[in-house]
């Protein structure tokens, strides 16, 4: 709804009363015959612009005001959550398509290392940088990853050959279709059709530091399950893009094991349970009944979270 009022309402109301009777009639007539076109107020009878006489004020209901307050509070909660977890990068992937299909050169341990590299991109430029802004070159990257020379050589070759990293005169640049750090409106058009989530930088760094190269495969499970995580409620699903909670088809751990190529569901469950951050599970396994294959999986929002914040508090309660 749009309401036309005189500028500085109280002052102009007093001024209106001081006008000659004919002038008051003319202003009243103009107000009654006014239309707004492309932001301009026009007298429909004379074609005169009336922008200098009136202003447009938006009138909102009490319900709208409350909705805006709630929306602002939710947005602030997501921002606070991001700050507490060291900020985030956008991680891109194809929904319900195994990561191994997208990047067949990478084993599950490589996926863990790839996540770690991805959270080191700089804001806006996607260069690999240290927290102080200093560029991460090839030698520095090897040191960060903590790999042996041979393992790093193999891993680095995969990054370059798959065009995940590009060597430029200004430094190593991450492919923005995989990880991107910047404003959402600046996400590359080439990645616009891909599903994406927020991957929290400090959480991933902390987790990487807790695993040695022999156990790194477990950490790679985070990246492996991304295509199946519902973006609002962080439940691993068969239909992760569905935003109607009543229609979600939660994936059992047995189904997840089959999807990821685990022959032993018990082993997958054990690996999931062993990934912890600050004493809290990264994957919460929820019992459905006595069948060990029927548990379903919820992902800790301190690791990845794509929702607008409506379900964030409920998720935080589950993992506190």
């Amino acid at each position: 709804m749009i309401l036309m009022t005189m500028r500085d309402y109280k002052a102009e109301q007093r001024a209106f009363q001081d006008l000659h009777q004919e002038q008051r009639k003319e202003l009243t007539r103009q107000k009654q015959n006014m239309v707004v076109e492309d932001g301009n107020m026009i007298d429909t009878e004379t074609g005169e612009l009336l922008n200098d006489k009136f202003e447009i004020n938006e009138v909102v209901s009490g319900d709208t005001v409350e909705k805006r307050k709630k929306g602002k509070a939710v947005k602030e909660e997501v921002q606070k959550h991001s700050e507490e977890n060291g900020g985030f990068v956008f991680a891109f992937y194809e929904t319900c398509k195994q990561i191994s299909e997208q990047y067949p050169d990478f084993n599950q341990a490589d996926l863990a290392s790839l996540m770690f590299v991805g959270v080191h991109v700089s804001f806006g430029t996607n260069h690999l940088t240290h927290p102080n802004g200093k560029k991460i070159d090839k030698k520095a990257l090897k040191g960060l990853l903590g790999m042996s020379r041979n393992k790093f050589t193999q891993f680095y070759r995969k990054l370059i050959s798959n065009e995940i990293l590009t060597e430029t005169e200004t430094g190593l640049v991450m492919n923005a279709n995989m990880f991107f750090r910047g404003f959402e409106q600046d996400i590359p058009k080439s990645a616009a059709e891909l599903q994406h989530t927020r991957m929290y930088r400090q959480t991933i760094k902390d987790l990487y530091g807790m695993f040695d190269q022999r156990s790194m495969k477990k950490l790679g499970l985070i990246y492996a399950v991304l295509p199946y995580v519902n973006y609002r409620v962080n439940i691993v699903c068969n239909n992760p893009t569905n935003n109607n909670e009543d229609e979600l088809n939660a994936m059992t751990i047995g189904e997840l094991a089959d999807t990821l190529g685990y022959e032993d569901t018990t082993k997958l469950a054990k690996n999931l349970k062993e990934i912890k951050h600050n004493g809290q599970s990264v994957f919460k396994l929820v019992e459905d009944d006595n069948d060990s294959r029927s548990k379903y999986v919820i992902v800790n929002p301190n690791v990845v979270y794509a929702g607008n914040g409506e379900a964030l508090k409920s998720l935080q309660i589950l993992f506190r």
Side-chain angles (χ1 to χ4, degrees):
M1 177 181 176
I2 299 296
L3 174 66
M4 307 301 176
T5 63
M6 300 174 68
R7 292 176 179 165
D8 192 1
Y9 182 75
K10 290 184 179 179
E12 292 202 19
Q13 188 176 44
R14 290 192 296 269
F16 180 79
Q17 297 300 324
D18 293 336
L19 291 175
H20 187 274
Q21 183 177 359
E22 292 300 319
Q23 291 175 307
R24 293 202 300 269
K25 286 183 179 180
E26 176 61 11
L27 280 175
T28 301
R29 183 199 66 75
Q30 289 175 337
K31 185 175 180 180
Q32 292 173 342
N33 292 281
M34 186 191 308
V35 296
V36 178
E37 294 182 358
D38 297 327
N40 292 312
M41 290 166 281
I42 303 171
D43 187 327
T44 56
E45 291 188 359
T46 67
E48 178 186 358
L49 279 175
L50 304 176
N51 294 351
D52 61 334
K53 298 179 180 179
F54 300 94
E55 66 178 356
I56 301 175
N57 289 330
E58 182 183 9
V59 177
V60 296
S61 66
D63 288 343
T64 300
V65 171
E66 287 304 311
K67 286 180 180 178
R68 289 182 177 179
K69 286 182 179 179
K70 182 179 179 180
K72 182 181 179 182
V74 167
K75 185 176 181 180
E76 290 174 348
E77 187 66 29
V78 173
Q79 178 63 31
K80 178 183 176 183
H81 180 71
S82 174
E83 292 172 356
E84 290 174 346
N85 291 285
F88 66 88
V89 297
F90 291 111
F92 298 91
Y93 49 91
E94 294 184 50
T95 304
C96 288
K97 183 176 181 180
Q98 288 191 48
I99 294 290
S100 59
E101 294 178 45
Q102 300 174 53
Y103 309 105
D105 292 350
F106 290 82
N107 57 41
Q108 202 162 284
D110 289 334
L111 296 181
S113 299
L114 181 56
M115 284 193 305
F116 181 69
V117 175
V119 297
H120 283 83
V121 295
S122 60
F123 193 92
T125 71
N126 250 38
H127 282 75
L128 296 190
T129 60
H130 293 282
N132 62 6
K134 183 180 179 181
K135 298 283 178 25
I136 297 174
D137 58 16
K138 182 177 178 180
K139 181 179 179 181
L141 183 60
K142 177 183 178 300
L144 278 174
L145 289 166
M147 293 178 175
S148 67
R149 179 186 299 177
N150 288 341
K151 187 169 181 58
F152 175 75
T153 298
Q154 294 172 5
F155 178 65
Y156 188 80
R157 187 181 297 122
K158 293 177 185 179
L159 294 177
I160 299 299
S161 63
N162 284 277
E163 298 182 342
I164 293 171
L165 279 187
T166 302
E167 297 173 330
T168 72
E169 293 182 357
T170 56
L172 295 174
V173 180
M174 171 62 67
N175 186 333
N177 290 345
M178 290 204 60
F179 298 98
F180 176 73
R181 187 172 169 221
F183 296 114
E184 191 163 10
Q185 61 265 30
D186 295 329
I187 288 175
K189 292 181 180 179
S190 55
E193 299 301 318
L194 297 175
Q195 188 72 9
H196 63 272
T197 190
R198 305 179 192 92
M199 181 173 286
Y200 293 102
R201 302 172 67 222
Q202 192 56 53
T203 306
I204 295 298
K205 291 177 182 179
D206 292 345
L207 286 168
Y208 190 84
M210 294 167 56
F211 289 81
D212 58 30
Q213 290 301 314
R214 289 179 298 176
S215 60
M216 195 61 68
K217 179 180 178 180
K218 296 177 185 177
L219 186 58
L221 282 168
I222 295 173
Y223 202 46
V225 302
L226 281 188
Y228 313 102
V229 179
N230 178 266
Y231 74 96
R232 290 188 67 247
V233 294
N234 270 34
I235 296 177
V236 177
C237 295
N238 290 298
N239 56 342
T241 59
N242 195 319
N243 60 10
N244 186 336
E245 294 179 28
D246 293 331
E247 297 177 359
L248 290 183
N249 180 11
M251 184 183 289
T252 66
I253 193 168
E255 292 173 321
L256 181 61
D258 294 339
T259 298
L260 298 182
Y262 274 75
E263 296 181 1
D264 187 343
T265 301
T266 303
K267 182 177 181 181
L268 173 60
K270 180 175 181 293
N271 288 345
L272 291 172
K273 290 177 180 179
E274 289 178 351
I275 307 174
K276 295 182 180 292
H277 179 254
N278 289 339
Q280 295 296 325
S281 299
V282 166
F283 297 98
K284 183 171 287 293
L285 276 57
V286 181
E287 297 282 356
D288 188 26
D289 53 35
N290 294 325
D291 183 358
S292 63
R293 285 180 58 88
S294 66
K295 299 183 181 76
Y296 59 94
V297 183
I298 305 174
V299 183
N300 192 320
N302 291 341
V303 183
V304 294
Y305 182 67
N308 60 10
E310 294 178 357
L312 183 56
K313 283 189 176 294
S314 296
L315 284 167
Q316 289 172 328
I317 290 172
L318 284 176
F319 289 92
R320 68 185 180 185

